[in-house]
Amino acid sequence: MSSSKNLFVSISYSQDNLDHKRWVSKLAQTLKNEGFKVLVDIFNLHGDEDINEFMENVIIHSDKVLIIMTQGYKEKADKRFAGAGYEAKLIANLIKENQHTRKFIPIKRDKDDCIPNFLKPLVFIDMSDDNLFNEKFEDLLLAISGSDSDYDDLIREINYQIDSLQPYEEYYGYTIPLIEQKKYQLSLKVQNAQSEHHFLEVIKYKIQIAQICQEQNKSQDAYKLEEGIREAYAMLSDFEKVQAKSIIADYNSDMALYIDQDINRNK
């Protein structure tokens, strides 16, 4: 990409172990091979430099900042501990100042929960499977240097499965019944909440649709919605999970009681 040669890309990560540092180094080198000017401590931090000053300058002056999310990074970021925690605080403040910024690109490296609380609203690229490195790297290139429309197309495809509205949009029969229209409107709200990663709202709307399905004796549809509720629940912070359980309990007390066990069993 010709435009990439003028972009400074930095990488924020936690030095969890040697294998992880090697992976970050590989990512940085692959980006350099594409023409990006990559800023990362592995290549650019020298022994006599102040690490906090280095991190501040890199984050502020980079065009894009890649945030490599691991369980180690999440723990340090949530507790604002060590170098990764300091970087997380800087990034969180910048995101707060401009909530529509596309400067920061979270990358999910671990398969388990590794998303820090301050990054939950952002769209991430899942690079946890090494077998898909090349495919996901193409997504990353698009997120870094693609147009706004390219980026919008990308975020519709990655990280989550947005509920399909096809059954409604391809309806050619008589006027759609009011109850189905209500489900359609709620499905639109689910879709919007999913795209914004507002998973607590996803749960609220899916429960409303599931309640309608139960009233219609469409138990199979309700069951599929409950699976979606569990998927959204797994993306919540611990504080949000407490809220979610209260909401779910009004719909199905047993589901709220056993939801953590169900999710752990299906991992």
Side-chain angles (χ1 to χ4, degrees):
M1 297 181 184
S2 59
S3 61
S4 69
K5 294 182 179 179
N6 298 318
L7 291 179
F8 283 89
V9 179
S10 62
I11 303 176
S12 174
Y13 71 105
S14 170
Q15 297 186 15
D16 298 342
N17 52 56
L18 183 57
D19 285 342
H20 182 54
K21 290 180 68 174
R22 285 172 176 163
W23 187 89
V24 172
S25 179
K26 173 187 175 183
L27 177 64
Q29 187 60 55
T30 308
L31 288 165
K32 290 179 72 173
N33 294 343
E34 289 289 332
F36 295 104
K37 298 175 182 178
V38 181
L39 300 171
V40 62
D41 60 357
I42 296 172
F43 296 153
N44 305 101
L45 179 63
H46 305 292
D48 58 344
E49 288 187 79
D50 181 275
I51 187 169
N52 289 343
E53 184 179 354
F54 172 81
M55 288 188 291
E56 288 178 17
N57 288 330
V58 164
I59 290 172
I60 291 171
H61 297 295
S62 294
D63 296 297
K64 299 288 184 179
V65 178
L66 312 184
I67 307 167
I68 314 301
M69 301 183 299
T70 59
Q71 289 179 306
Y73 184 91
K74 172 180 170 57
E75 181 178 353
K76 292 174 183 176
D78 287 345
K79 295 179 179 178
R80 298 296 192 264
F81 173 73
Y86 182 74
E87 287 185 344
K89 183 178 179 179
L90 291 175
I91 295 170
N93 288 335
L94 291 171
I95 292 174
K96 186 176 181 180
E97 291 173 5
N98 182 4
Q99 297 183 10
H100 299 291
T101 182
R102 290 180 175 174
K103 177 173 182 171
F104 303 101
I105 304 173
I107 295 174
K108 188 173 186 285
R109 180 63 187 138
D110 286 349
K111 292 184 181 297
D112 295 325
D113 178 27
C114 61
I115 305 175
N117 292 331
F118 80 101
L119 289 177
K120 285 184 181 292
L122 300 189
V123 173
F124 61 83
I125 294 175
D126 189 345
M127 299 187 75
S128 59
D129 188 343
D130 288 334
N131 294 322
L132 300 177
F133 181 87
N134 291 336
E135 176 184 334
K136 296 300 181 178
F137 185 75
E138 290 299 316
D139 288 343
L140 179 58
L141 290 179
L142 193 60
I144 293 173
S145 56
S147 66
D148 285 349
S149 60
D150 288 337
Y151 184 84
D152 288 338
D153 289 340
L154 174 64
I155 66 172
R156 292 190 187 100
E157 297 173 3
I158 60 178
N159 307 326
Y160 48 79
Q161 182 64 46
I162 291 182
D163 290 355
S164 173
L165 301 179
Q166 186 176 358
Y168 297 104
E169 294 166 350
E170 294 185 355
Y171 185 86
Y172 295 113
Y174 296 105
T175 302
I176 300 177
L178 290 177
I179 192 68
E180 295 297 331
Q181 291 184 39
K182 183 177 181 180
K183 286 163 63 178
Y184 174 70
Q185 293 301 321
L186 288 168
S187 295
L188 287 175
K189 292 180 179 180
V190 168
Q191 191 178 63
N192 183 64
Q194 285 177 317
S195 67
E196 297 292 333
H197 278 198
H198 295 161
F199 296 108
L200 194 58
E201 290 185 16
V202 170
I203 290 172
K204 291 177 182 178
Y205 295 132
K206 280 183 177 285
I207 285 177
Q208 291 182 52
I209 302 171
Q211 287 172 328
I212 294 174
C213 289
Q214 295 283 15
E215 293 170 4
Q216 295 177 303
N217 293 320
K218 295 182 177 180
S219 57
Q220 189 63 31
D221 288 348
Y223 174 78
K224 290 179 181 178
L225 286 157
E226 289 170 6
E227 288 299 305
I229 290 168
R230 292 186 182 92
E231 290 173 3
Y233 176 88
M235 301 298 293
L236 298 176
S237 66
D238 290 340
F239 176 74
E240 290 172 322
K241 284 179 179 178
V242 175
Q243 296 177 281
K245 282 183 179 178
S246 177
I247 296 168
I248 295 169
D250 290 336
Y251 165 69
N252 185 323
S253 58
D254 285 342
M255 182 179 177
L257 183 62
Y258 297 108
I259 190 166
D260 290 305
Q261 294 173 239
D262 291 341
I263 291 172
N264 290 331
R265 185 167 55 245
N266 292 328
K267 278 185 177 179

